[in-house]
């Protein structure tokens, strides 16, 4: 397999004050199962476009074989038997290759595209976020499938998925690229230890800088005192004042001023040295969520419940009890009714064509906060959206800035935002709402690992009541008090 050689790569989008990549030099073996990771906005998808020659840049990129980008708008032409073979390896129904693409579920489309990708000879797959439409079983099947292949680059924010199918990791950091011959979790753990060490070092440096600053302030007082002596030595003498006294005052002032200036120069040099040692660390700001406690200890009870969508049964004979303060993970294959249940409880039954029967109790006055998969309902500027939802605009904007938004982005129309940024908006709206029950349907799609870790901490450490669907195994297992299979 060829070697991709990147020398002195520099790239930035027109109109942007900052470059995404600055003088990057790195070598990649195309036989690796390579994970490409990094925070939202760091340029992972842009890197794919650079490898494909779709963007102008300075520097050189050589040795790139013919690439195919996932997801693709058109399927490559392949012999049927090759595609069937790949679908079988994923545990997918081979007959989906004969069905129109628009009739397939998101998971089926993902598997069909991957099957065609690897059924083709002589191409280098660049795979961008394949897990967004896969349930947990689908993710495991696709991860095992990719683990059996050689030679691809994979972008995903699902740590467990990356660990299962990659053997090298390339991380885009604030300062450049880091390449390790190990899984993403190995890089993450080593990076966390390094960051902790650097944070401790930074704290010590800041203490030393504070001491230097205090010394400089003290020195300023000495300088002022010396100036006073100097001024006194120049004051008009009285007839009775001794000549030698004036000479003593002048010499004392000169020495004190000289010592003060030397000390000031030394302290300034020390301060510059300490500042140059400070590391610009990756930071994830701390988010907050404030739930409310409904007076009912069991705000939701479903017994022998059937959910219909436009007259067709989706869920039958389902039981669920949500107790106050519980965090419940809904699990099950795509199409089993998880999202239908979430939407029904969120009060979206009528507009989504959902009806229910059975023994159903939803506590009166229950305040619900809902985060859905679909972001298309967001329209207008961010501040307009916050106003429509009754959110405090200051709190809303503060949360978004902690999520990585700039102040300029707060005035954009939501149509100009990426899918990941739109998901941040939906989560920020939910965090602004003081709710008795939080209903989150796949909240982590398009969200980077750093923010996933912060959202995980947020949910785990706060006494809120939540019913959620999330196929990221690491997140679900970390925060859920109970798992319910549908």
């Amino acid at each position: 397999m060829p070697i991709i050689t990147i020398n002195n790569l520099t790239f930035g989008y027109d109109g942007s004050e900052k470059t995404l990549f600055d003088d990057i030099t790195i070598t990649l073996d195309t036989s690796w199962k390579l994970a490409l990771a990094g925070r939202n906005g760091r340029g992972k998808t842009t890197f794919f476009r650079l490898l494909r020659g779709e963007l102008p840049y300075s520097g050189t990129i050589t040795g790139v074989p013919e690439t195919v980008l996932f997801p693709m708008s058109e399927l490559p032409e392949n012999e049927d038997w090759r595609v069937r073979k790949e679908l079988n390896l994923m545990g997918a129904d081979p007959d989906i290759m004969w069905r129109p693409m628009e009739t397939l579920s998101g998971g089926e489309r993902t598997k069909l595209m991957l099957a065609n990708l690897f059924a083709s000879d002589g191409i280098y797959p660049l795979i961008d976020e394949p897990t967004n439409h896969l349930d947990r079983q689908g993710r495991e099947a696709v991860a095992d499938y990719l683990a059996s292949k050689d030679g691809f680059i994979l972008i995903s924010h699902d740590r467990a998925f990356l660990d299962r199918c990659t053997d090298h990791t390339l991380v885009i950091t604030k300062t450049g690229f880091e390449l390790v011959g190990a899984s993403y979790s190995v890089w993450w753990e080593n990076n966390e230890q390094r960051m902790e060490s650097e944070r401790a070092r930074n704290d010590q440096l800041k203490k030393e800088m504070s001491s230097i600053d205090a010394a400089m302030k003290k020195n300023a007082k000495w300088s002022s005192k010396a100036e006073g002596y100097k001024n006194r030595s120049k004051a008009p003498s009285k007839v009775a004042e001794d000549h030698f006294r004036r000479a003593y005052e002048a010499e004392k002032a000169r020495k004190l001023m000289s010592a003060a200036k030397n000390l000031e120069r030394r302290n300034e040099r020390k301060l510059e040295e300490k500042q140059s040692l400070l590391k610009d660390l990756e930071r994830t700001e701390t988010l907050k969520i404030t739930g409310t406690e409904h007076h009912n200890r069991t705000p939701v009870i479903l017994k022998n419940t059937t959910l219909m969508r436009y007259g067709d049964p989706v869920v039958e004979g389902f039981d669920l009890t949500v107790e106050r303060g519980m965090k419940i993970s809904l699990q099950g294959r795509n199409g089993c009714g998880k999202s239908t249940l979430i939407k029904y409880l969120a009060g979206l039954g009528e507009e989504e064509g959902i009806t229910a029967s059975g023994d159903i109790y939803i506590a009166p006055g229950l305040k619900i906060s809902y985060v859905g998969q679909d972001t298309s309902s967001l329209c207008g500027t961010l501040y307009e959206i916050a106003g429509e939802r009754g959110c405090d605009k200051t709190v809303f904007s503060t949360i978004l800035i902690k999520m990585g938004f700039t102040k300029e982005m707060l005035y954009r129309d939501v149509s100009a935002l990426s899918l990941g940024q739109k998901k941040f908006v939906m989560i920020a709206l939910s965090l602004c709402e003081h709710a008795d029950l939080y209903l989150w349907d796949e909240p982590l799609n398009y969200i980077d690992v750093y923010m996933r870790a912060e959202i995980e901490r947020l949910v785990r450490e706060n006494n809120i009541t939540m019913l959620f669907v999330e196929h990221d195994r690491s997140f679900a297992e970390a925060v859920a008090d109970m798992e319910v299979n549908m």
Side-chain angles (χ1 to χ4, degrees), residues 214-226 260 263-264:
M216 291 176 72
K217 289 178 180 177
K218 187 175 181 180
N219 182 57
K221 291 182 180 179
W222 291 349
S223 296
S224 177
K225 185 177 180 181
L263 183 58
E264 183 178 7

Side-chain angles (χ1 to χ4, degrees), residues 460-485:
R460 187 179 63 247
E461 294 181 1
N462 285 274
N463 186 31
I464 59 174
T465 306
M466 176 175 283
L467 185 65
F468 68 92
V469 178
E470 181 51 60
H471 299 303
D472 184 322
R473 179 185 290 274
S474 300
F475 176 88
E477 292 179 349
V479 306
D481 300 310
M482 182 173 73
E483 183 174 292
V484 174
N485 287 294

Side-chain angles (χ1 to χ4, degrees), residues 90-106:
M90 274 184 278
D93 180 2
D95 290 340
I96 64 174
M97 62 187 292
W98 308 113
R99 290 165 49 192
M101 187 69 83
E102 61 271 15
T103 68
L104 302 180
S105 69

Side-chain angles (χ1 to χ4, degrees), residues 3 17 44 46 58 101 153 157-158 179 190 210 220 232 263 283 343 360 371 380 443 449 470 472 483:
I3 300 295
E17 295 180 0
K44 298 184 293 297
T46 299
S58 62
M101 187 69 83
I153 305 181
H157 295 305
D158 186 327
L179 177 65
N190 290 340
S210 179
R232 198 187 323 168
L263 183 58
R283 291 181 177 87
K343 288 176 180 177
I360 300 172
V371 174
V449 173
E470 181 51 60
D472 184 322
E483 183 174 292

Side-chain angles (χ1 to χ4, degrees), residues 287-486:
L287 300 175
K288 294 182 180 179
I289 187 170
T290 305
T292 53
E293 284 197 2
H294 194 272
H295 61 84
N296 198 315
R297 290 181 177 274
T298 51
V300 176
I301 302 174
L302 307 178
K303 292 183 179 179
N304 196 29
T305 299
T306 295
L307 295 175
M308 311 275 286
R309 189 157 192 178
Y310 300 110
D312 295 324
V314 179
V315 178
E316 295 182 272
F318 181 67
D319 296 335
L320 174 68
T321 299
V322 179
E323 296 183 5
R324 191 175 64 199
M326 288 192 68
K327 303 174 184 74
I328 300 174
S329 169
L330 288 177
Q331 292 294 329
R333 290 186 174 276
N334 288 343
C336 71
K338 301 184 298 297
S339 294
T340 301
L341 174 61
I342 291 282
K343 288 176 180 177
Y344 174 75
L345 293 176
L348 302 176
E350 185 174 346
E351 61 187 81
E352 293 284 340
I354 302 169
T355 56
S357 62
D359 189 358
I360 300 172
Y361 174 76
I362 299 176
L366 193 67
K367 290 180 289 185
I368 289 174
S369 179
Y370 170 68
V371 174
Q373 294 185 37
D374 186 9
T375 62
S376 62
S377 61
L378 298 174
C379 60
T381 67
L382 296 182
Y383 282 128
E384 288 172 347
I385 293 169
E388 290 171 2
R389 288 280 288 265
C391 295
D392 184 297
K393 294 181 180 179
T394 301
V395 175
F396 178 65
S397 60
T398 299
I399 292 171
L400 287 177
I401 287 173
K402 286 183 176 182
M403 288 177 164
F405 279 54
T406 63
K407 291 183 179 179
E408 179 271 329
M409 291 168 62
L410 298 175
Y411 294 93
R412 289 184 189 174
D413 190 276
V414 74
S415 61
L417 301 179
S418 69
L419 287 171
Q421 290 165 339
K422 290 177 182 177
K423 207 57 181 273
F424 279 141
V425 170
M426 296 182 74
I427 293 173
L429 290 168
S430 185
L431 297 184
C432 287
E433 296 170 330
H434 303 297
D436 302 316
L437 175 62
Y438 291 85
L439 301 171
W440 285 8
D441 190 1
E442 297 195 32
L444 300 186
N445 281 356
Y446 309 104
I447 304 296
D448 66 57
V449 173
Y450 290 88
M451 192 52 66
R452 285 184 182 215
E454 174 55 22
I455 294 172
E456 177 184 310
R457 181 208 62 77
L458 175 80
V459 175
R460 187 179 63 247
E461 294 181 1
N462 285 274
N463 186 31
I464 59 174
T465 306
M466 176 175 283
L467 185 65
F468 68 92
V469 178
E470 181 51 60
H471 299 303
D472 184 322
R473 179 185 290 274
S474 300
F475 176 88
E477 292 179 349
V479 306
D481 300 310
M482 182 173 73
E483 183 174 292
V484 174
N485 287 294
M486 297 188 65

